[in-house]
Amino acid sequence: MDLADAQVLRQHLIDPEICIRCNTCEETCPVKAITHDARNYVVDPAKCKACLACIPPCPTGAIDNWRTVLRAEAYSVEEQLSWDALPGEKALGLGTATAPAEPPVAVEPAVSAIASSPLPPWSASHPYVNLYTHKNPAIATVVGNYRVTDSASESDTHHIVLDFGATPFPVLEGQSIGILPPGEDGFGRPHHARQYSIASPRDGERPGYNNISLTVKRVTVDHQGRPVRGVCSNYLCDLKRGDTVRVIGPFGSTFLMPNHTPSHLLMICTGTGSAPMRAMTERRRRRRVKGEGGKLMLFFGARTPQELPYFGPLMNLPKDFIDINLAFSRVPGQPKRYVQDLMRERAPAVAELLRDDNTYIYVCGLRGMETGVLAALRDIASAHGLAWEPLLARLRAEGRLHLETY
Ligand code: A2P
């Protein structure tokens, strides 16, 4: 065995039992070391530089697993893809662990990975995370399940209320949970958990109750438009009152709202990405009488008004409470408009918020919107005399820019 083979490697692995396949790690990895198939997310030992960029954004902690192995015996991508559970620590061969494990190498994160802040707002409440796992899920009861998109529209999006009874399940706006759908996947393993943003504020969908709500779109086609039956979304949308659901989490310790006054929220979302925006808006609405908060500005994109979740309730919010801007992309006879187009149209108001150190920005929805929204923010800032790069750096460092796309 030559020296390179004898080198000890601190191999980075992802726990397939805990991973909720949210793709955050793959998006974050600056050297493209993380890949996945229909079964698992895995780390290529030949590419991973152990820069740790993927560790903080992982909602479950599945990402933070390490095994000491001889480099020559590192678990291959193919091996990891076949796992149902992580292997234990291997005993290293006698006399072989002579070369030291290589120190982690600092690598500059990719541009998309650096956008979202790794920190919460300074005044955010402290979140509880990972209280319940797939081995120890909380059991919630469905107390409401109704459609929030027009019945004539193609998009079947549901508002689902889950009650935890006497089971503690403390959450904050911006956090998410995992749902364990019943049954097995194509490999005969229990289905992995699916992640959903919480759509209700911390004091409950119904104030003072131990319940939360979700915004779930029934998945009937994949990203390429091919017919597919989404395992968990169909399960959830078909639930009846009184049914029970296995829940894990809560997840998320950065995409959280500020609590101080004044703090302004600039919220940009598409489709079911509206869930955390609903939670934060409702929190602010309930606290408004106490004088808490600052300005709220919302950009919300959907194909048509009929497909926009919560269209009716949103329109009923007072104009002096929230500045609502709706972008529709498929209204017959009207030009296609995305949230970023509308942001440019409202550039002076957006710039005013960007200029204010108390503004917190939240982006949630389709992955594709991320680039367009960041470009719009950059252009608006530059056109209004704000240097974008230093502003972006400050937004990140101060926990004031949060992106969650899927
Ligand atoms: P469209 O699909 O008409 O191009 P969905 O209904 O699939 O959840 O999407 C919500 C909204 O987000 C739709 O209006 C959709 O437009 C829009 N959208 C799609 N791609 C982007 C993008 N790259 N940036 C912003 N909005 C987008």
Side-chain angles (χ1 to χ4, degrees):
M1 192 182 283
D2 67 18
L3 185 60
D5 287 342
Q7 268 184 346
V8 174
L9 173 71
R10 197 168 162 250
Q11 186 172 1
H12 185 196
L13 300 170
I14 299 173
D15 188 336
E17 290 191 279
I18 299 177
C19 173
I20 52 174
R21 282 78 174 163
C22 64
N23 204 57
T24 308
C25 54
E26 192 171 319
E27 272 169 56
T28 310
C29 179
V31 294
K32 305 259 172 286
I34 299 178
T35 54
H36 71 277
D37 66 3
R39 189 179 175 118
N40 285 342
Y41 273 72
V42 299
V43 187
D44 185 341
K47 293 185 183 163
C48 177
K49 301 274 188 270
C51 71
L52 310 183
C54 58
I55 305 297
C58 171
T60 63
I63 193 77
D64 201 6
N65 282 282
W66 307 84
R67 294 288 182 273
T68 305
V69 295
L70 292 180
R71 181 171 282 285
E73 294 172 6
Y75 298 107
S76 68
V77 163
E78 290 67 34
E79 240 175 316
Q80 296 174 52
L81 286 171
S82 71
W83 286 345
D84 289 337
L86 284 179
E89 277 286 359
K90 278 194 213 178
L92 297 182
L94 260 187
T96 51
T98 47
E102 293 155 60
V105 180
V107 174
E108 274 299 302
V111 176
S112 62
I114 62 164
S116 202
S117 177
L119 301 163
W122 68 262
S123 62
S125 298
H126 191 81
Y128 287 91
V129 292
N130 292 315
L131 297 179
Y132 299 92
T133 64
H134 69 295
K135 290 200 172 113
N136 166 38
I139 306 298
T141 305
V142 177
V143 292
N145 185 354
Y146 59 90
R147 186 171 167 140
V148 284
T149 42
D150 194 286
S151 56
S153 77
E154 256 179 48
S155 166
D156 184 13
T157 302
H158 283 232
H159 183 69
I160 298 170
V161 186
L162 301 176
D163 193 277
F164 289 97
T167 305
F169 206 95
V171 299
L172 292 174
E173 305 79 10
Q175 283 196 292
S176 57
I177 61 165
I179 299 284
L180 290 168
E184 293 178 343
D185 62 18
F187 306 100
R189 295 189 311 187
H191 283 300
H192 63 80
R194 286 358 188 236
Q195 189 184 7
Y196 293 94
S197 284
I198 296 164
S200 50
R202 64 190 79 179
D203 59 333
E205 168 67 15
R206 179 170 173 178
Y209 280 67
N210 189 16
N211 57 27
I212 62 165
S213 62
L214 306 177
T215 313
V216 182
K217 181 175 178 177
R218 190 187 289 278
V219 174
T220 53
V221 290
D222 65 12
H223 281 298
Q224 282 73 44
R226 293 176 299 222
V228 63
R229 194 182 144 78
V231 170
C232 200
S233 66
N234 281 278
Y235 161 65
L236 287 171
C237 288
D238 290 338
L239 286 171
K240 307 271 176 292
R241 283 171 68 119
D243 286 347
T244 56
V245 181
R246 293 179 304 154
V247 183
I248 66 173
F251 305 128
S253 50
T254 55
F255 194 117
L256 301 174
M257 67 187 290
N259 291 313
H260 67 280
T261 302
S263 51
H264 315 302
L265 309 181
L266 174 55
M267 302 176 277
I268 304 148
C269 63
T270 58
T272 54
S274 57
M277 314 311 179
R278 180 184 184 272
M280 294 194 275
T281 302
E282 184 56 13
R283 169 74 180 169
R284 282 287 160 96
R285 198 187 64 77
R286 291 181 191 177
R287 307 287 288 179
R288 200 181 176 211
V289 284
K290 296 188 163 63
E292 188 176 297
K295 290 181 199 154
L296 269 66
M297 188 175 201
L298 172 71
F299 290 91
F300 191 169
R303 295 175 190 185
T304 62
Q306 293 74 27
E307 289 203 15
L308 187 127
Y310 311 109
F311 184 70
L314 204 52
M315 293 293 88
N316 288 335
L317 291 173
K319 300 273 174 294
D320 63 344
F321 167 61
I322 180 169
D323 181 350
I324 298 175
N325 301 268
L326 305 180
F328 298 116
S329 57
R330 301 193 198 182
V331 174
Q334 284 184 21
K336 192 179 186 80
R337 274 164 118 205
Y338 281 169
V339 279
Q340 54 268 39
D341 303 325
L342 216 45
M343 289 168 68
R344 290 174 192 276
E345 287 174 30
R346 295 292 317 278
V350 173
E352 198 185 315
L353 284 176
L354 287 179
R355 199 169 282 125
D356 193 322
D357 290 347
N358 277 311
T359 295
Y360 294 75
I361 306 173
Y362 300 86
V363 181
C364 187
L366 296 177
R367 183 157 309 137
M369 76 191 280
E370 208 169 297
T371 318
V373 167
L374 287 172
L377 288 172
R378 180 199 60 207
D379 295 348
I380 292 167
S382 307
H384 290 78
L386 295 162
W388 174 242
E389 291 300 332
L391 175 59
L392 176 63
R394 229 157 36 80
L395 287 168
R396 290 194 70 244
E398 295 172 5
R400 297 199 287 124
L401 177 61
H402 299 280
L403 297 102
E404 200 161 279
T405 56
Y406 40 82

